Amino acid sequence: MAQVPGLAATFLAHAKVRFIPPEASAELDGLLLRAWETARERWPAVELPAEAFVTHLAERLPEASPDSPIEPLLAQLSLAELYLACACLRGAPAAIELFDRNYLAKLPGLLRGPKQPEAMIDDICQLARVKLLVPTPEGAPKIAEYTGRGALLSWVRVITVRIAIKLQAAQKPAPDQDSDPELEQIPTPGGDAELELIKRRYQTDFRQAVREAFSELSADDRHLLRLYFVDQLSMYELASLFRVNQSTVSRWLKSARQEVYEETRRRLQERLGLSTRDFKSFLAVLDSQLELNISQLLGVRDGVPRPPGKD
């Protein structure tokens, strides 16, 4: 590898990708210097050497080929929040104070729910702070794992939710009379802990919204859904019953489910008052569990309905 002076040399030495050294090394030096200056503008009270930041940045760069241009890769990252995370990892008091004020202080509001005791929330937040900021004999604090791909607050919230779920599981609370065992057993797509918490917190509202949305359907659509979900007639059987082809039945079912979905979504957004980001996350739960809730509403208790096209 050719010798590249300054920040470029540091960056190339620590990047997981063996980038081809640019001929104009001064351009890479300038790019990295601007990245450092831009990042520290957000936190003027936090002192972090450019070389330390560039090293931290290089180690967390997205996967790329050796000949990839570096500037677009940097554009994918939240540089200012990576700067703060790096400074926290190095134990800078000003950085830790800012992290407490701008991120950890927001956790109680994000975790608070009707069935979440304040004492439990306090315990969860304290555990999160320790895991995120305190090194252990096994390794660096958790904040070292933040890669800058996404907002730092969202990442902190996911880490905290995972801690909450483990803590609640360890305490083995008494079964909730209002909970639905079948809903609890369904994993959130991708095992996302944040969506799992959203699902549990708003389960009652979700099921009520599905009931109300179903009641808004026409009598014909409700009848069709009962035949499909309760009587478990196949596409072929429904097509024979209504004397139409299977594609028509598929279109009817899709339309009825879409009506339930849209009405459920509308009612939930009005009822829950979620932020735009949280509601987008919640839609993943809604999408994954809508058919299950329709089946339970119609009386199916011993299985999940077959997806269309699997007959």
Side-chain angles (χ1 to χ4, degrees):
M1 176 182 294
Q3 293 299 313
V4 181
L7 295 179
T10 299
F11 179 87
L12 294 173
H14 289 88
K16 295 178 181 179
V17 178
R18 289 291 183 181
F19 287 106
I20 299 172
E23 293 183 5
S25 58
E27 290 185 10
L28 180 55
D29 264 327
L31 175 64
L32 295 169
L33 182 62
R34 288 193 300 275
W36 173 69
E37 290 174 339
T38 299
R40 73 171 182 167
E41 282 177 3
R42 171 97 174 265
W43 321 104
V46 177
E47 294 292 336
L48 180 65
E51 186 173 358
F53 174 66
V54 167
T55 298
H56 190 84
L57 180 62
E59 292 171 346
R60 287 153 183 82
L61 209 65
E63 292 293 329
S65 59
D67 59 348
S68 297
I70 294 171
E71 187 169 5
L73 296 177
L74 297 183
Q76 298 177 34
L77 306 178
S78 178
L79 297 176
E81 292 184 314
L82 265 179
Y83 182 97
L84 183 66
C86 178
C88 287
L89 187 59
R90 291 167 63 89
I96 292 173
E97 181 183 346
L98 285 164
F99 184 71
D100 276 330
R101 187 192 313 159
N102 291 279
Y103 299 93
L104 296 180
K106 296 178 180 179
L107 287 177
L110 296 173
L111 296 173
R112 191 168 288 116
K115 297 180 181 179
Q116 197 75 278
E118 288 295 326
M120 170 72 78
I121 292 175
D122 289 342
D123 288 345
I124 293 168
C125 292
Q126 287 298 322
L127 279 173
R129 189 182 192 281
V130 170
K131 285 187 174 292
L132 286 164
L133 296 175
V134 179
T136 66
E138 289 75 33
K142 198 77 174 174
I143 198 156
E145 298 177 14
Y146 175 62
T147 63
R149 279 166 265 176
L152 180 55
L153 182 59
S154 294
W155 181 85
V156 168
R157 179 171 51 181
V158 169
I159 296 297
T160 306
V161 166
R162 288 173 181 159
I163 292 171
I165 290 172
K166 288 181 182 178
L167 187 61
Q168 290 167 343
Q171 293 186 353
K172 297 181 180 178
D176 187 339
Q177 294 298 318
D178 294 328
S179 66
D180 191 307
E182 294 174 46
L183 275 178
E184 292 296 327
Q185 292 169 7
I186 292 188
T188 299
D192 190 309
E194 181 179 356
L195 296 189
E196 189 70 19
L197 186 65
I198 292 172
K199 181 190 76 177
R200 292 179 181 180
R201 180 179 298 177
Y202 302 119
Q203 180 187 119
T204 301
D205 294 292
F206 176 45
R207 290 175 59 78
Q208 182 61 29
V210 173
R211 290 190 187 96
E212 293 170 358
F214 180 79
S215 69
E216 295 292 322
L217 291 174
S218 67
D220 287 344
D221 283 342
R222 291 198 299 271
H223 178 55
L224 176 66
L225 292 178
R226 286 193 177 94
L227 291 174
Y228 184 69
F229 287 114
V230 178
D231 298 327
Q232 302 225 341
L233 297 187
S234 68
M235 292 283 192
Y236 174 80
E237 291 168 329
L238 287 170
S240 299
L241 177 65
F242 291 110
R243 297 183 181 180
V244 296
N245 57 43
Q246 293 184 49
S247 64
T248 299
V249 172
S250 177
R251 187 172 66 253
W252 288 349
L253 284 169
K254 180 179 180 181
S255 175
R257 284 197 303 271
Q258 187 64 26
E259 282 189 44
V260 175
Y261 178 90
E262 294 296 339
E263 183 63 17
T264 300
R265 182 172 65 176
R266 185 187 68 78
R267 289 174 180 272
L268 279 172
Q269 191 158 26
E270 288 180 356
R271 183 173 296 157
L272 301 183
L274 292 174
S275 67
T276 301
R277 177 178 296 177
D278 281 346
F279 189 70
K280 286 181 179 178
S281 295
F282 189 63
L283 288 184
V285 177
L286 171 62
D287 194 39
S288 67
Q289 295 187 354
L290 183 61
E291 291 195 0
L292 173 72
N293 277 267
I294 292 175
S295 70
Q296 291 171 342
L297 176 65
L298 296 176
V300 177
R301 305 298 302 174
D302 57 352
V304 178
R306 298 180 304 258
K310 299 293 183 182
D311 304 289

